Amino acid sequence: MGKSTLACIYSHAALLRGERVQVLLFDETKRIFLTRAAGLGLDLKRFVGDGSLLLEQIDPAELSAGELSTRIEKGVEGSNVRIVVIDSLTGYLNALSEEQHLVLQMHEILTYLNQKGVVTILLLANHGLIGNMAVPIDMTYLCDAVMLLRFFESGGRLRRAISVVKKRAGPHEDTIRKFRISSEGLSVGEPLDQFRGILTGVPQFEGKSSELLEDKASA
Ligand SMILES: Nc1ncnc2c1ncn2[C@@H]1O[C@H](COP(=O)(O)OP(=O)(O)O)[C@@H](O)[C@H]1O
Ligand SMILES: [Mg+2]
């Protein structure tokens, strides 16, 4: 959908500022992560080379209790990491046994990172790609800002929509915008104000048909 891509873009910006970034991968290999970034015009490989990007692939089957906290603490204390990306929390959740409570663990990890002034980016997949979606676990109350990415169908194409659903510190834009991923990276388009029901995945077009054609041309 674009979650890892978005996290890559934030990470790249931080790395260019000279900050250290730690990315913990549960769902995919380092190779795929770096190849996708390269395809979007982001050279993350060189930051792995110079040690400023700590890219760690975690095998869920071998993850012991408390290991995630230990790894993160090591990154922050030992390497002065300023951004931590967990890609994805869904992968981590699947790796935990029933006795290990994800929300409690994340509460502890986020409190620690917050105290250290570290930005944490958590990626969570929804069940289902289009239509009714359900989140496996509600983590939003722990987060200062929440972005929602969705697929929706229109004009016989699969499109992507992005919106900010929460920002703890103040007001935020309430529009739903189209976004695209291409070899030039990610671009956010105009608000999708001609549609109703974008978040259902199957929106109704409410504008003039000429506007739908314009929308097709710019897709
Ligand atoms: N270089 C590229 N050019 C165009 N689209 C791309 C490129 N790289 C990735 N994508 C698109 O981004 C999608 C993957 O996004 P990703 O960030 O991995 O999603 P998620 O992490 O939400 O599963 C792919 O399905 C593809 O459509
Ligand atoms: Mg991903």
Side-chain angles (χ1 to χ4, degrees), residues 1-5 36 39-40 160 181-183:
M1 199 172 297
K3 302 182 298 297
S4 301
T5 302
R36 180 184 46 238
L40 299 165
R160 293 175 163 97
I181 301 173
S182 71
S183 55

mmCIF file of all heavy atoms in Angstrom, residues 1-5 36 39-40 160 181-183, ligand 1:
data_model
loop_
_atom_site.group_PDB
_atom_site.id
_atom_site.type_symbol
_atom_site.label_atom_id
_atom_site.label_comp_id
_atom_site.label_asym_id
_atom_site.label_seq_id
_atom_site.Cartn_x
_atom_site.Cartn_y
_atom_site.Cartn_z
ATOM 1 N N MET A 1 0.810 -1.209 0.000
ATOM 2 C CA MET A 1 0.000 0.000 0.000
ATOM 3 C C MET A 1 0.853 1.273 0.000
ATOM 4 O O MET A 1 0.463 2.306 -0.516
ATOM 5 C CB MET A 1 -0.892 -0.021 1.236
ATOM 6 C CG MET A 1 -2.052 0.917 1.110
ATOM 7 S SD MET A 1 -3.211 0.730 2.452
ATOM 8 C CE MET A 1 -3.799 -0.922 2.258
ATOM 9 N N GLY A 2 2.017 1.188 0.631
ATOM 10 C CA GLY A 2 2.917 2.345 0.665
ATOM 11 C C GLY A 2 3.487 2.665 2.039
ATOM 12 O O GLY A 2 4.186 3.656 2.203
ATOM 13 N N LYS A 3 3.194 1.810 3.018
ATOM 14 C CA LYS A 3 3.663 2.083 4.386
ATOM 15 C C LYS A 3 5.180 2.067 4.469
ATOM 16 O O LYS A 3 5.796 2.995 4.986
ATOM 17 C CB LYS A 3 3.088 1.057 5.377
ATOM 18 C CG LYS A 3 1.585 1.004 5.411
ATOM 19 C CD LYS A 3 1.087 0.005 6.444
ATOM 20 C CE LYS A 3 1.517 -1.426 6.163
ATOM 21 N NZ LYS A 3 0.985 -1.971 4.902
ATOM 22 N N SER A 4 5.780 0.998 3.939
ATOM 23 C CA SER A 4 7.250 0.890 3.999
ATOM 24 C C SER A 4 7.890 2.010 3.186
ATOM 25 O O SER A 4 8.922 2.557 3.578
ATOM 26 C CB SER A 4 7.713 -0.467 3.469
ATOM 27 O OG SER A 4 7.148 -1.496 4.229
ATOM 28 N N THR A 5 7.266 2.343 2.059
ATOM 29 C CA THR A 5 7.779 3.419 1.206
ATOM 30 C C THR A 5 7.804 4.741 1.967
ATOM 31 O O THR A 5 8.806 5.461 1.957
ATOM 32 C CB THR A 5 6.887 3.552 -0.048
ATOM 33 O OG1 THR A 5 6.886 2.294 -0.715
ATOM 34 C CG2 THR A 5 7.366 4.633 -0.976
ATOM 35 N N ARG A 36 13.700 -1.658 -3.109
ATOM 36 C CA ARG A 36 12.534 -0.799 -3.309
ATOM 37 C C ARG A 36 12.937 0.665 -3.162
ATOM 38 O O ARG A 36 12.567 1.511 -3.973
ATOM 39 C CB ARG A 36 11.420 -1.142 -2.321
ATOM 40 C CG ARG A 36 10.182 -0.238 -2.531
ATOM 41 C CD ARG A 36 9.094 -0.479 -1.500
ATOM 42 N NE ARG A 36 9.659 -0.542 -0.185
ATOM 43 C CZ ARG A 36 9.528 -1.586 0.625
ATOM 44 N NH1 ARG A 36 8.821 -2.620 0.283
ATOM 45 N NH2 ARG A 36 10.093 -1.567 1.804
ATOM 46 N N GLY A 39 14.629 1.879 -6.165
ATOM 47 C CA GLY A 39 13.644 2.067 -7.240
ATOM 48 C C GLY A 39 12.876 3.375 -7.101
ATOM 49 O O GLY A 39 12.308 3.873 -8.069
ATOM 50 N N LEU A 40 12.857 3.919 -5.888
ATOM 51 C CA LEU A 40 12.155 5.184 -5.642
ATOM 52 C C LEU A 40 13.126 6.365 -5.667
ATOM 53 O O LEU A 40 12.774 7.483 -5.312
ATOM 54 C CB LEU A 40 11.471 5.139 -4.265
ATOM 55 C CG LEU A 40 10.422 4.052 -4.069
ATOM 56 C CD1 LEU A 40 10.096 3.856 -2.598
ATOM 57 C CD2 LEU A 40 9.159 4.404 -4.841
ATOM 58 N N ARG A 160 -4.606 5.098 -4.552
ATOM 59 C CA ARG A 160 -4.240 5.169 -3.137
ATOM 60 C C ARG A 160 -4.689 6.498 -2.540
ATOM 61 O O ARG A 160 -4.560 7.537 -3.168
ATOM 62 C CB ARG A 160 -2.721 5.055 -2.992
ATOM 63 C CG ARG A 160 -2.178 3.712 -3.383
ATOM 64 C CD ARG A 160 -0.661 3.751 -3.307
ATOM 65 N NE ARG A 160 -0.101 2.418 -3.293
ATOM 66 C CZ ARG A 160 0.366 1.812 -4.372
ATOM 67 N NH1 ARG A 160 0.343 2.416 -5.533
ATOM 68 N NH2 ARG A 160 0.882 0.598 -4.275
ATOM 69 N N ILE A 181 2.853 6.377 -5.997
ATOM 70 C CA ILE A 181 4.240 5.946 -5.808
ATOM 71 C C ILE A 181 4.809 5.710 -7.202
ATOM 72 O O ILE A 181 4.180 5.044 -8.019
ATOM 73 C CB ILE A 181 4.315 4.647 -4.977
ATOM 74 C CG1 ILE A 181 3.657 4.859 -3.606
ATOM 75 C CG2 ILE A 181 5.748 4.181 -4.808
ATOM 76 C CD1 ILE A 181 3.531 3.591 -2.780
ATOM 77 N N SER A 182 5.963 6.308 -7.472
ATOM 78 C CA SER A 182 6.585 6.105 -8.782
ATOM 79 C C SER A 182 8.096 6.110 -8.609
ATOM 80 O O SER A 182 8.590 6.238 -7.484
ATOM 81 C CB SER A 182 6.177 7.226 -9.738
ATOM 82 O OG SER A 182 6.812 8.420 -9.337
ATOM 83 N N SER A 183 8.801 5.989 -9.725
ATOM 84 C CA SER A 183 10.266 5.957 -9.626
ATOM 85 C C SER A 183 10.825 7.281 -9.103
ATOM 86 O O SER A 183 11.981 7.369 -8.722
ATOM 87 C CB SER A 183 10.864 5.631 -10.995
ATOM 88 O OG SER A 183 10.366 6.559 -11.931
HETATM 89 N N1 LIG B 1 9.811 2.076 -8.044
HETATM 90 C C1 LIG B 1 8.476 2.018 -7.959
HETATM 91 N N2 LIG B 1 7.698 2.541 -8.906
HETATM 92 C C2 LIG B 1 6.350 2.480 -8.838
HETATM 93 N N3 LIG B 1 5.686 1.896 -7.824
HETATM 94 C C3 LIG B 1 6.411 1.354 -6.847
HETATM 95 C C4 LIG B 1 7.836 1.388 -6.836
HETATM 96 N N4 LIG B 1 8.272 0.770 -5.721
HETATM 97 C C5 LIG B 1 7.171 0.374 -5.073
HETATM 98 N N5 LIG B 1 6.052 0.710 -5.733
HETATM 99 C C6 LIG B 1 4.666 0.454 -5.331
HETATM 100 O O1 LIG B 1 4.608 0.483 -3.944
HETATM 101 C C7 LIG B 1 4.009 -0.724 -3.463
HETATM 102 C C8 LIG B 1 4.729 -1.241 -2.252
HETATM 103 O O2 LIG B 1 4.667 -0.339 -1.273
HETATM 104 P P1 LIG B 1 5.164 -0.704 0.197
HETATM 105 O O3 LIG B 1 5.668 0.575 0.742
HETATM 106 O O4 LIG B 1 6.090 -1.857 0.182
HETATM 107 O O5 LIG B 1 3.781 -1.116 0.833
HETATM 108 P P2 LIG B 1 3.444 -1.709 2.271
HETATM 109 O O6 LIG B 1 4.662 -1.549 3.127
HETATM 110 O O7 LIG B 1 2.280 -0.887 2.721
HETATM 111 O O8 LIG B 1 3.077 -3.118 2.033
HETATM 112 C C9 LIG B 1 4.161 -1.731 -4.561
HETATM 113 O O9 LIG B 1 3.046 -2.593 -4.532
HETATM 114 C C10 LIG B 1 4.185 -0.900 -5.799
HETATM 115 O O10 LIG B 1 2.871 -0.721 -6.270
#
